[in-house]
Amino acid sequence: MSGDIVLSAGVRANLLQLQKTSDLITATQTKLATGKRVNSALDNPVNYFTAQGLQNRAGDLSNLLDSMSSAFNTIQAANNGITSITKLVQSAQALVSQAQQTSDTTVRAGLSTQFDQILSQITQLAGDSGFNGINLLDKNNSTDLTVTLNERGTSSVTIAAVDFSATGLVINNSTNNWSTTSDITAASTDLTTALTTLRSQAQAFGSNLSTVQIRQDFTKAMINTLQTGADSLTLADSNEEGANLLALQTRQQLSTTALSLASQASQAVLRLFG
């Protein structure tokens, strides 16, 4: 068309080079601004989607880490409860021992009353040993605790709730105000059995705590590995990109100069008609 502007080959070549350099500068500035050399699938499809997969898995593991932390605290709360209940049982044993050493029915009656109060405290303490709605010492009012250990849900550990109220530990209230030796002996037997049960369960909870903590530490290390791997695929080297930007800006200046020279060469033709 008669209205079209015709550029010389030199001007067109220099203009194209200037546009390419400008695009490279914009891309480099983006890398420096975001800190990443791969910001989209257009930059590097393999690295971008691989990094996305690693970051997604790290995110899934982070969610599991929160769940494991809650489970750890739940088990710890139950373990704290067992420790305190054990102390109460030992206090009850001291009362039984005192009762066995006297034949005074009045003294025995007083010790019997204290014994029943301790049993009440054992039941209340067991009911107060929950965390986040789960109480491993109050089976009647709570549920078992299942902890998922990997993002696929193929690894888990279940901690069964127990009944560690005085009734659950099979510690019977004192009968007949401990007026007979057989009543006191029965209480002593109940307490000895309860202590054995408490210690056994404390070992089980300790093992569960250790398992969950080991998996917590492993999960934290795995998250760090995944994030490091994703970063290595996408993060930019600020020093390298800074050097690239400086080189591109220099090239841009040279291209602008070349474009100017090419334009001057075209203008020289006009002087022939001057």
Side-chain angles (χ1 to χ4, degrees), residues 64-79:
L64 282 181
L65 201 58
D66 294 337
S67 175
M68 281 187 275
S69 178
S70 179
F72 182 90
N73 289 328
T74 300
I75 300 170
Q76 185 66 61
N79 194 53

Side-chain angles (χ1 to χ4, degrees), residues 20 34 54 84 91 93-94 101 103 109 115 120 133 142 146 156 159 176 201 228 242 252 254 257:
K20 289 181 178 179
T34 62
L54 295 176
S84 297
S91 295
Q93 282 184 317
Q101 295 172 20
S103 58
F115 181 86
S120 177
S142 188
T146 298
S156 63
I159 298 94
N176 303 317
Q201 190 61 50
T228 300
Q252 186 180 50
L254 292 174
T257 301

Side-chain angles (χ1 to χ4, degrees), residues 119-171:
L119 296 194
S120 177
Q121 285 300 314
I122 288 174
T123 298
Q124 291 180 23
L125 200 154
D128 292 337
S129 298
F131 178 85
N132 198 27
I134 298 179
N135 189 343
L136 295 177
L137 301 187
D138 189 8
K139 184 177 183 178
N140 297 324
N141 297 306
S142 188
T143 60
D144 296 344
L145 174 65
T146 298
V147 189
T148 302
L149 302 176
N150 66 10
E151 75 278 12
R152 299 184 303 279
T154 56
S155 177
S156 63
V157 60
T158 298
I159 298 94
V162 295
D163 181 5
F164 273 6
S165 64
T167 301
L169 288 170
V170 198
I171 307 174

Side-chain angles (χ1 to χ4, degrees), residues 25-270:
I25 288 176
T26 299
T28 302
Q29 288 174 333
T30 299
K31 292 176 183 179
L32 285 171
T34 62
K36 294 183 177 181
R37 58 188 170 88
V38 179
N39 288 285
S40 70
L42 296 176
D43 297 327
N44 188 317
V46 174
N47 284 13
Y48 178 78
F49 288 113
T50 300
Q52 283 288 95
L54 295 176
Q55 289 286 12
N56 289 340
R57 187 185 176 198
D60 292 340
L61 288 176
S62 293
N63 292 334
L64 282 181
L65 201 58
D66 294 337
S67 175
M68 281 187 275
S69 178
S70 179
F72 182 90
N73 289 328
T74 300
I75 300 170
Q76 185 66 61
N79 194 53
N80 292 340
I82 286 180
T83 299
S84 297
I85 290 172
T86 298
K87 292 178 180 178
L88 288 174
V89 170
Q90 290 170 338
S91 295
Q93 282 184 317
L95 294 177
V96 169
S97 179
Q98 292 177 51
Q100 289 173 330
Q101 295 172 20
T102 181
S103 58
D104 189 322
T105 56
T106 302
V107 173
R108 283 184 174 183
L111 294 171
S112 170
T113 299
Q114 295 177 49
F115 181 86
D116 290 343
Q117 290 174 348
I118 288 179
L119 296 194
S120 177
Q121 285 300 314
I122 288 174
T123 298
Q124 291 180 23
L125 200 154
D128 292 337
S129 298
F131 178 85
N132 198 27
I134 298 179
N135 189 343
L136 295 177
L137 301 187
D138 189 8
K139 184 177 183 178
N140 297 324
N141 297 306
S142 188
T143 60
D144 296 344
L145 174 65
T146 298
V147 189
T148 302
L149 302 176
N150 66 10
E151 75 278 12
R152 299 184 303 279
T154 56
S155 177
S156 63
V157 60
T158 298
I159 298 94
V162 295
D163 181 5
F164 273 6
S165 64
T167 301
L169 288 170
V170 198
I171 307 174
N172 297 310
N173 286 359
S174 57
T175 56
N176 303 317
N177 291 325
W178 282 352
S179 58
T180 66
T181 302
S182 60
D183 294 334
I184 301 172
T185 301
S188 178
T189 300
D190 289 347
L191 292 173
T192 299
T193 302
L195 270 182
T196 300
T197 302
L198 287 165
R199 288 166 180 165
S200 176
Q201 190 61 50
Q203 290 178 349
F205 280 158
S207 177
N208 292 328
L209 271 175
S210 179
T211 298
V212 173
Q213 187 166 34
I214 288 171
R215 288 301 302 224
Q216 272 186 305
D217 293 340
F218 168 79
T219 301
K220 289 177 183 178
M222 182 56 70
I223 290 173
N224 182 64
T225 298
L226 291 170
Q227 292 176 334
T228 300
D231 289 344
S232 67
L233 293 171
T234 60
L235 289 185
D237 184 333
S238 58
N239 292 327
E240 179 180 352
E241 297 303 333
N244 287 340
L245 181 60
L246 183 60
L248 288 170
Q249 288 173 337
T250 301
R251 183 192 298 180
Q252 186 180 50
Q253 293 174 355
L254 292 174
S255 296
T256 301
T257 301
L259 180 61
S260 177
L261 292 174
S263 299
Q264 290 177 12
S266 299
Q267 293 173 359
V269 178
L270 296 176

Side-chain angles (χ1 to χ4, degrees), residues 1-6:
M1 294 179 62
S2 60
D4 288 346
I5 299 175
V6 179

